[in-house]
């Protein structure tokens, strides 16, 4: 069985790296915050709606959602961010991230299982597992389906 998969890697927080399998990524685009339409009474990690190919795309501050300091506020604020558009069964969600790193092949056989005590409680539910790279750093493997099905935006999707 082929266990090599293509993943998109990107920064999480200041020191961490995460990957998402390319099979759930439709597009990567640069988003200017000025073009995001805020929606009142939403959790702070939901930045609002963006006009994407004539569709309404919900944009989520991935770092804020996973328990990191939000990239959409304070000194971390970037006027332009990268959005990773996830898709599953016709549902789309845009994840705002600080910086994309690369597309890499990873062997899913080498993915280690998540143990709750290793990670932030907010991060654990969205992890498929993690990899250890050549420099002994942990790379979080995020589960696109779980992120898409998170209750926070389920009702709005």
């Amino acid at each position: 069985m082929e266990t090599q998969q293509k993943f998109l890697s990107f920064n999480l927080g200041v020191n961490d790296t995460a990957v998402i399998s390319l099979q759930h990524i439709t597009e990567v685009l640069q988003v200017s915050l000025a073009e995001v339409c805020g929606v009142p009474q939403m959790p702070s990690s939901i930045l609002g709606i963006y006009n994407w190919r004539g569709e309404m795309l919900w944009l989520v501050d991935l770092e804020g959602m996973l328990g990191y300091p939000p990239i959409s506020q304070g000194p971390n604020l970037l006027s332009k961010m990268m959005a990773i558009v996830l898709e599953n069964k016709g549902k789309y969600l845009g994840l705002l991230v600080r910086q994309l790193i690369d597309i890499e092949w990873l062997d899913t056989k080498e993915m280690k299982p998540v143990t709750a005590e290793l990670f932030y409680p907010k991060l654990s539910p969205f992890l498929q597992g993690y990899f250890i790279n050549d420099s002994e750093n942990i790379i979080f493997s995020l589960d696109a389906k779980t992120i898409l099905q998170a209750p926070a935006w389920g009702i709005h999707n």
Side-chain angles (χ1 to χ4, degrees), residues 40-43 46 58 91 93 148-157:
Q41 262 121 44
M42 292 299 280
I46 299 180
W58 286 91
K91 290 196 176 196
L93 185 70
L148 277 159
Q149 290 158 358
W153 38 86
I155 44 175
H156 304 280
N157 218 330

Side-chain angles (χ1 to χ4, degrees), residues 9 12 39 129-130 142:
S9 60
L12 258 194
V39 179
Y130 64 96
L142 297 175

Side-chain angles (χ1 to χ4, degrees), residues 69-79 98:
I71 51 176
S72 53
Q73 288 159 16
N76 299 331
L77 183 65
L78 304 168
S79 59
R98 208 175 274 280

Side-chain angles (χ1 to χ4, degrees), residues 42-53:
M42 292 299 280
S44 60
S45 57
I46 299 180
L47 291 191
I49 296 169
Y50 179 75
N51 181 349
W52 174 65
R53 300 184 187 170

Side-chain angles (χ1 to χ4, degrees), residues 17 104 106 110 130-139:
T17 303
E104 39 198 303
L106 293 169
E110 292 172 10
Y130 64 96
F131 297 96
I132 305 283
N133 69 8
D134 300 339
S135 351
E136 300 289 307
N137 294 326
I138 288 181
I139 298 177

Side-chain angles (χ1 to χ4, degrees), residues 12-153:
L12 258 194
V14 183
N15 302 318
D16 293 341
T17 303
V19 292
I20 292 181
S21 168
L22 275 192
Q23 64 191 40
H24 291 293
I25 298 177
T26 301
E27 193 178 328
V28 172
L29 50 138
Q30 193 176 47
V31 172
S32 157
L33 277 188
E35 298 167 1
V36 178
C37 175
V39 179
Q41 262 121 44
M42 292 299 280
S44 60
S45 57
I46 299 180
L47 291 191
I49 296 169
Y50 179 75
N51 181 349
W52 174 65
R53 300 184 187 170
E55 300 272 329
M56 283 184 0
L57 178 69
W58 286 91
L59 287 180
V60 176
D61 176 343
L62 186 62
E63 297 195 3
M65 172 184 140
L66 297 177
Y68 291 83
I71 51 176
S72 53
Q73 288 159 16
N76 299 331
L77 183 65
L78 304 168
S79 59
K80 285 193 156 66
M81 298 189 208
M82 297 308 295
I84 300 171
V85 182
L86 299 182
E87 187 271 335
N88 185 43
K89 297 185 180 147
K91 290 196 176 196
Y92 295 91
L93 185 70
L95 304 180
L96 286 174
V97 299
R98 208 175 274 280
Q99 200 176 341
L100 301 176
I101 303 172
D102 203 359
I103 288 175
E104 39 198 303
W105 286 95
L106 293 169
D107 189 340
T108 52
K109 279 199 310 259
E110 292 172 10
M111 193 187 300
K112 316 223 180 313
V114 178
T115 49
E117 61 274 8
L118 263 182
F119 305 114
Y120 299 120
K122 276 188 160 172
L123 183 59
S124 298
F126 299 107
L127 285 177
Q128 275 179 317
Y130 64 96
F131 297 96
I132 305 283
N133 69 8
D134 300 339
S135 351
E136 300 289 307
N137 294 326
I138 288 181
I139 298 177
F140 299 120
S141 179
L142 297 175
D143 185 341
K145 283 188 185 159
T146 313
I147 293 173
L148 277 159
Q149 290 158 358
W153 38 86

